[in-house]
Amino acid sequence: MKKWHFALALGLLASMLGGGFASAHVTVLPKETTQGSYEKFAVRVPTEKDIPTVKVEVKFPLDSVSISRFEPKPGWKYELTKDANKITGVVWTATGEGLGATEFGEFYMQGKVADTATAITWKAYQTYKDGSVVEWVGADGSDKPASVTKVNAKPTGAGTDSHGHTTAPATPAADKATSEAPAVSQTPLYLSIAGVVLGAAALIVSLMRRKA
């Protein structure tokens, strides 16, 4: 029995440690988005070594997403990579010390999700001050997996506004009328329940008096 408890404890410890390592990967948030939507993405970069992270590169899968805007980050500069005037990636380089051993940073960018996308696979390359590079490009479950954003199908009947943003499908008149109908008062039900409870209490008191 003691051996079984020991094995269970080891399993739990390994699970906890594994979750910690997984959370230290370079990831792109949000983890889910919608076809045709304009989204703000955050590239979250943790430093896993005792030396600073000084450069981060992310490549964009053009069949899934079109990134066009980048938020300035103090202490960092960025450079775009292009192919035939299309933005294919971005490289952030530290102008100061970078991200220290116990630090993480987030880099923000914005773009449009393709109308036919089902997933966005982000290939990222993390460079440390000693020149070593960690390539986050592997498959899910590997030691260095690429971050993947799941893309949900556009809701049936959804359209786009004047800026190209995905809008919610129109609500049918019947559903709207139903949703706007005033809620039925529950007061009569509560009064009925209270009456039953009081009646039962009175009956119990009456029976106790008779026995006395």
Side-chain angles (χ1 to χ4, degrees), residues 170-180:
T171 304
D175 294 344
K176 184 176 181 180
T178 301
S179 63
E180 293 179 352

Side-chain angles (χ1 to χ4, degrees), residues 43-47 73 99 103-107:
V43 182
R44 181 174 295 173
V45 181
T47 290
K73 183 177 179 64
L99 301 174
E103 298 177 335
F104 76 94
E106 290 188 338
F107 304 82

Side-chain angles (χ1 to χ4, degrees), residues 2-205:
K2 289 183 178 180
K3 290 183 178 180
W4 185 85
H5 286 162
F6 181 70
L8 179 60
L10 284 179
L12 290 173
L13 180 60
S15 176
M16 292 172 66
L17 290 175
F21 290 141
S23 65
H25 294 166
V26 171
T27 55
V28 180
L29 304 172
K31 298 302 291 182
E32 291 190 23
T33 186
T34 305
Q35 292 176 344
S37 63
Y38 281 78
E39 189 72 77
K40 178 180 179 181
F41 297 99
V43 182
R44 181 174 295 173
V45 181
T47 290
E48 297 180 297
K49 297 185 179 183
D50 293 331
I51 52 179
T53 294
V54 295
K55 186 167 71 173
V56 179
E57 179 180 4
V58 179
K59 294 184 178 180
F60 311 142
L62 300 185
D63 59 339
S64 303
V65 67
S66 298
I67 300 297
S68 57
R69 297 289 184 273
F70 303 86
E71 182 176 281
K73 183 177 179 64
W76 294 77
K77 63 180 181 179
Y78 68 88
E79 182 180 358
L80 306 181
T81 56
K82 296 183 178 182
D83 182 13
N85 294 324
K86 291 184 178 180
I87 300 175
T88 59
V90 59
V91 180
W92 285 281
T93 305
T95 57
E97 293 299 318
L99 301 174
T102 60
E103 298 177 335
F104 76 94
E106 290 188 338
F107 304 82
Y108 296 100
M109 56 192 186
Q110 187 181 48
K112 183 179 184 296
V113 181
D115 293 331
T116 57
T118 57
I120 306 172
T121 300
W122 309 93
K123 292 185 177 182
Y125 303 82
Q126 182 177 10
T127 302
Y128 287 89
K129 194 172 183 177
D130 64 354
S132 61
V133 180
V134 179
E135 300 183 353
W136 301 100
V137 299
D140 185 30
S142 64
D143 291 337
K144 299 176 180 63
S147 182
V148 178
T149 298
K150 178 184 176 182
V151 181
N152 298 312
K154 184 185 299 185
T156 303
T160 55
D161 60 20
S162 59
H163 300 287
H165 295 79
T166 301
T167 58
T171 304
D175 294 344
K176 184 176 181 180
T178 301
S179 63
E180 293 179 352
V184 178
S185 174
Q186 299 296 320
T187 302
L189 175 62
Y190 297 149
L191 291 176
S192 299
I193 294 173
V196 172
V197 173
L198 291 174
L203 178 60
I204 292 172
V205 172

